[in-house]
Amino acid sequence: GVVKDIFRMKLHGYSQDAIANRLNDMGVLSPMEYKNAMGSNYRTSFKTNERAAWSSVTVRRILQNEVYIGTLVQGRQTTPNHKVKKVVQRPESDWARIEKNHEPVISERDFAIVQRLIGLDTRISPDRTEVYPLSGLVVCADCGAAMVRKNVSAGGKKYPYYVCSRNKETKECSSHRIAADKL
């Protein structure tokens, strides 16, 4: 149920950080705390507090894990031989992948949409918990660079608009602006 909630929140525009904060506020056990509550003697050196909390990294790992669509992936890591304990990452082409191995928790469609959302440049403003609806989708018609949202205050009102990020950063493109309400 928690995994479904995480995917649902991401599909509703929540950032990974906002999802983690919400799970912490609701008192949902993080994966490490859940393992310990179920009797597993799981330990890690990454635990920094008395109680392990949800983080954006944990949420992202869940959102990118193919096991939730029924795919079993094995052989991501290996050791050179039985005497050497150092773990090395294997190339993705060498992984063993079994699709439709078990009943999925998340539909393939929802999983694909979430992967696309994660791949977009979707930063949130400090005063919001959700990503702006057009984040990562608006690009400059001339240079193809992402357009970034800006607010201009005039007459006591805020007017949001999008501007070419390449022009803003390097002036390599001309100043293209479009009002958010027109988009």
Side-chain angles (χ1 to χ4, degrees), residues 123 143 145-150 161-177:
R123 287 170 253 162
C143 69
M147 295 188 78
V148 293
R149 183 182 171 107
K150 295 292 170 195
Y161 67 96
Y162 286 82
V163 61
C164 176
S165 62
R166 186 164 289 151
N167 171 263
K168 182 179 170 286
E169 293 170 5
T170 64
K171 306 289 186 222
E172 291 177 12
C173 186
S174 59
S175 177
H176 297 103
R177 298 171 188 257

Side-chain angles (χ1 to χ4, degrees), residues 2 8 24-25 33 39 51 66-67 71 92-93 96 121 123-124 131 152 157 176-177 179:
V2 173
R8 190 176 308 115
N24 287 325
D25 292 344
E33 293 298 334
R51 182 172 184 246
E66 293 178 80
V67 74
T71 301
E92 192 170 342
S93 59
D121 181 15
R123 287 170 253 162
I124 61 168
V131 174
V152 172
K157 285 184 157 182
H176 297 103
R177 298 171 188 257

Side-chain angles (χ1 to χ4, degrees), residues 5 11 21 28 68 70 79 85 95 113 119 145 159 163 167 182:
D5 288 344
L11 289 169
N21 291 338
V28 176
Y68 300 117
T79 56
K85 300 299 180 203
W95 296 355
I113 292 169
Y159 297 95
V163 61
N167 171 263
K182 290 185 180 181

Side-chain angles (χ1 to χ4, degrees), residues 58-69:
T58 307
V59 170
R60 186 181 184 106
R61 284 181 183 154
I62 288 172
L63 291 171
Q64 292 180 316
N65 193 339
E66 293 178 80
V67 74
Y68 300 117
I69 57 169

